[in-house]
Amino acid sequence: MNEIKQDIYLNPHQARRRPPTQYEDLLGDSIERAFGAGIHDLSELVAYLNRTGPGCPLNEGIWTETLYQEEIARLAA
Amino acid sequence: MRTIANDPVEAVLAVGLKDLWYPICPSEFVAERPVSLRRLGRKFVIWRETSGKLHALEDHCPHRGAPLSMGMALGDRIACGYHGVQVRFDGVVTSVPGSPGCKLEGAKATRSFHVQEACGAIFLYNSSVDVDQPPPLRLPEELTSDEFSNFLCYAEWKGGYRYVTDNVMDPMHGTFLHKQSHSMAEGDNTATFRVRETDIGFVFEKEGQRDVNFDWTEWADTDLHWMRLAIPYPKTGGPGGSFFIIGSYTPISENVSAVFFWRCRKLSGWQRDTWRFLYRNRLEARHWAVLEQDRVVLEVMEPDANQREMLYQHDMGIVRWRRHMRNLAKEQLAKEEATEQVKA
């Protein structure tokens, strides 16, 4: 059967596939705070995350540059 | 936007100029089933083959006019649900099951349209007559270059598509309407604007202010009408400078528009991934809140608001664009008239 779209389409969340997890929200908070504090280098960002959390989901909670890149690529995919 | 009876230019513009590409819906609107979309003064049926290949016909069975979208997709053709008449992607009727051999079989009886997918959207070539080969779909570099990353935001607004363009052609509204937003709190309340021509259109920009607020906007014609602008992110948006917006707007009906905004950023590596994560996690919602401010104003404006205006210097871009569109509409009418005369 056909599908006729009659309603006005207003969907505020088109990029995400599911609601964010608490970990993702905390990570977003931390990243924004780091950027807001003028941190733009990967090494400084990783150090900031290790100071403020959330912890890395791997490696017993410790962020490294490699792990951050892997994790953020996963979250960005 | 009100259609003024007796104004053929207005009638042409109300349904969108012909022989141009238009974005018509996000890619995911068309999955397994045929979809009917009212756009550009007619209804289209869009469907996919199992390979994903897209096709578009006028959503009108040549037999009795039932919507083909009520039927069943059979690969590169669609069978009308009413009497089973099969119409191929090129508009040729391949089978009339109830009356084999009738003269409808083999006839090119339905308008067919070229469709192409890019950047999360389906684009349709709104040809005035059926063509074998449309011009290439030429998108701005923010959507085609590997140096940029983008997300599409699609919405339908209750307002004519020209009101949407007017709004984007009016950077100064950012300073007032969007003062309370995540990205447009800065900049002066006054500005002087100028128009700068480009090879494909023109730029409407503030004199002496750039990368502070919504400071310039560009209109371009590459056989697709699109707009470009840039707005600085706050510091929390991280490295990468301003984000770019590419916009393109398609009439659904006289007072409803299909609104496409691609949010783009020039970033690579972990910075790109971080922006994409933040966009999904929180920035998209903030961008949406800004867009809602625009939608609410546009939707409460009377459909004939643009018939009673007192414009000033900040509206030079709108005036320039409207004049250009009217000229394009006149060219289209002249071409149609010449074709009619040849036929006669």
Side-chain angles (χ1 to χ4, degrees):
Chain A
M1 269 307 287
N2 68 321
E3 185 183 347
I4 299 173
K5 296 200 179 283
Q6 288 173 327
D7 294 335
I8 296 292
Y9 185 89
L10 290 173
N11 176 8
H13 295 293
Q14 301 179 22
R16 67 165 71 149
R17 295 174 197 99
R18 52 168 178 72
T21 62
Q22 191 184 19
Y23 154 71
E24 287 165 354
D25 284 340
L26 287 168
L27 183 61
D29 288 349
S30 268
I31 292 169
E32 276 203 321
R33 276 199 299 268
F35 284 158
I39 289 172
H40 285 166
D41 289 342
L42 180 57
S43 59
E44 288 178 44
L45 177 63
V46 165
Y48 185 91
L49 290 177
N50 279 328
R51 272 203 311 280
T52 66
C56 179
L58 306 161
N59 196 29
E60 294 175 346
I62 310 297
W63 292 99
T64 66
E65 290 184 27
T66 308
L67 285 176
Y68 177 80
Q69 284 174 293
E70 278 174 19
E71 175 63 356
I72 207 72
R74 183 184 73 82
L75 293 169
Chain B
M1 203 167 286
R2 186 173 65 173
T3 305
I4 302 163
N6 302 332
D7 182 355
V9 169
E10 183 63 25
V12 162
L13 291 174
V15 293
L17 289 162
K18 299 285 191 292
D19 301 321
L20 288 173
W21 285 98
Y22 287 87
I24 55 165
C25 67
S27 284
E28 70 261 18
F29 274 24
V30 185
E32 297 86 17
R33 295 171 177 173
V35 170
S36 181
L37 288 177
R38 190 179 293 283
R39 299 284 188 277
L40 300 157
R42 68 174 87 234
K43 269 190 353 183
F44 299 95
V45 54
I46 326 276
W47 80 95
R48 289 182 193 276
E49 296 189 33
T50 47
S51 65
K53 190 176 168 50
L54 280 169
H55 299 296
L57 291 171
E58 181 160 17
D59 192 11
H60 177 98
C61 178
H63 169 221
R64 291 272 313 287
L68 289 169
S69 55
M70 297 285 286
M72 196 168 42
L74 303 168
D76 69 351
R77 61 204 68 187
I78 192 159
C80 181
Y82 203 10
H83 298 93
V85 172
Q86 291 182 20
V87 188
R88 201 167 56 198
F89 71 92
D90 57 0
V92 172
V93 175
T94 54
S95 167
V96 180
S99 182
C102 85
K103 69 175 182 184
L104 191 53
E105 285 187 344
K108 161 93 177 84
T110 300
R111 285 293 317 270
S112 62
F113 296 87
H114 293 276
V115 274
Q116 198 175 319
E117 265 177 301
C119 306
I122 295 173
F123 293 81
L124 178 140
Y125 188 65
N126 187 32
S127 56
S128 45
V129 294
D130 288 2
V131 291
D132 292 337
Q133 191 69 45
L137 177 65
R138 287 183 293 149
L139 298 167
E141 66 162 340
E142 287 81 4
L143 298 185
T144 56
S145 161
D146 290 342
E147 293 183 16
F148 286 86
S149 185
N150 72 74
F151 287 99
L152 168 62
C153 172
Y154 171 74
E156 293 170 6
W157 289 358
K158 291 178 188 158
Y161 74 103
R162 286 174 287 168
Y163 275 102
V164 184
T165 302
D166 284 349
N167 180 63
V168 180
M169 192 49 83
D170 166 24
M172 207 59 199
H173 84 268
T175 311
F176 296 90
L177 180 67
H178 302 309
K179 189 83 180 171
Q180 286 180 294
S181 77
H182 70 122
S183 54
M184 281 180 269
E186 306 290 327
D188 292 341
N189 283 349
T190 59
T192 307
F193 280 89
R194 66 171 169 229
V195 172
R196 181 163 50 84
E197 303 295 322
T198 70
D199 292 343
I200 50 173
F202 66 97
V203 176
F204 183 55
E205 60 195 350
K206 284 180 191 166
E207 286 180 0
Q209 180 173 302
R210 210 162 173 101
D211 300 332
V212 177
N213 196 295
F214 175 10
D215 301 319
W216 58 271
T217 188
E218 178 178 0
W219 183 87
D221 179 350
T222 56
D223 298 314
L224 162 78
H225 289 177
W226 52 268
M227 300 185 74
R228 169 162 48 200
L229 59 100
I231 296 173
Y233 257 138
K235 221 174 153 190
T236 51
S242 296
F243 74 95
F244 289 84
I245 296 179
I246 303 296
S248 193
Y249 322 111
T250 301
I252 290 180
S253 60
E254 198 173 359
N255 291 313
V256 184
S257 306
V259 176
F260 296 78
F261 284 115
W262 286 268
R263 281 86 177 240
C264 315
R265 211 142 183 239
K266 195 172 188 176
L267 289 168
S268 61
W270 69 270
Q271 296 180 334
R272 171 191 297 229
D273 290 340
T274 303
W275 177 67
R276 291 187 69 84
F277 162 66
L278 286 178
Y279 184 91
R280 286 215 179 93
N281 184 257
R282 56 193 61 203
L283 299 178
E284 181 175 46
R286 291 180 203 158
H287 284 297
W288 183 263
V290 178
L291 218 47
E292 282 291 279
Q293 294 170 334
D294 293 296
R295 183 178 69 82
V296 167
V297 169
L298 260 60
E299 291 190 350
V300 295
M301 283 171 75
E302 292 294 314
D304 65 348
N306 64 6
Q307 306 299 312
R308 292 185 289 123
E309 297 175 314
M310 298 179 84
L311 304 179
Y312 53 91
Q313 206 264 345
H314 293 175
D315 306 310
M316 213 160 73
I318 292 176
V319 172
R320 167 76 174 76
W321 175 71
R322 289 179 182 171
R323 192 169 56 225
H324 184 65
M325 290 294 278
R326 287 188 70 83
N327 287 338
L328 291 177
K330 285 176 194 163
E331 282 172 27
Q332 180 178 313
L333 284 165
K335 214 165 99 185
E336 283 167 13
E337 205 173 306
T339 312
E340 287 302 312
Q341 278 170 0
V342 169
K343 274 189 201 163

